[in-house]
Amino acid sequence: MSSSGIAVGLEKGYPVEKRVVPPRPSHAKAKLSKRTKLVRELIGEVVGLSPYEKRLLDMLKTGGASSEKRMYKFAKKRLGTHKRALKKREQIKDLYSKIRARSAN
């Protein structure tokens, strides 16, 4: 929408050229680089799981109908936010599926 030069209406105001603003560095904050991904994977292999992650894995192993909800609630209490809890739950589920696939072979 461009300005019309008229003082009233949807396109009111003096007609000016729109500035092209470069993207802010904060918009790239959540982007995961190859190096960071590799480093995190390596550290995860070397160090292993933290105690609360082991508890999450145990909750998944013992299972039950509401295991996912219990995992979510526990993760949310430890991590603080809804998004982080969901991400951690998915991460632990992926890890468990890898462990099961490894033991099946």
Side-chain angles (χ1 to χ4, degrees), residues 5-96:
I6 301 173
V8 292
L10 287 174
E11 299 174 7
K12 67 181 179 181
Y14 189 80
V16 292
E17 193 177 320
K18 199 79 169 156
R19 285 175 56 218
V20 179
V21 183
R24 292 178 169 207
S26 61
H27 289 302
K29 184 181 174 190
K31 189 150 173 60
L32 187 67
S33 68
K34 290 180 196 172
R35 180 186 164 89
T36 308
K37 185 179 180 184
L38 180 73
V39 168
R40 285 183 187 164
E41 283 178 16
L42 185 66
I43 289 173
E45 285 177 28
V46 174
V47 177
L49 298 175
S50 61
Y52 87 94
E53 288 174 329
K54 287 177 185 169
R55 278 183 67 182
L56 283 169
L57 191 60
D58 190 47
M59 283 179 194
L60 186 61
K61 283 180 182 175
T62 54
S66 62
S67 66
E68 286 208 9
K69 185 175 180 181
R70 274 194 5 260
M71 282 175 69
Y72 164 74
K73 286 178 81 171
F74 182 74
K76 186 170 184 300
K77 185 163 179 133
R78 291 299 159 101
L79 298 170
T81 68
H82 174 75
K83 259 187 176 177
R84 287 178 184 173
L86 291 180
K87 194 172 180 184
K88 183 58 73 176
R89 183 178 70 181
E90 291 307 311
Q91 183 185 341
I92 297 294
K93 281 166 59 179
D94 290 344
L95 181 74
Y96 184 58

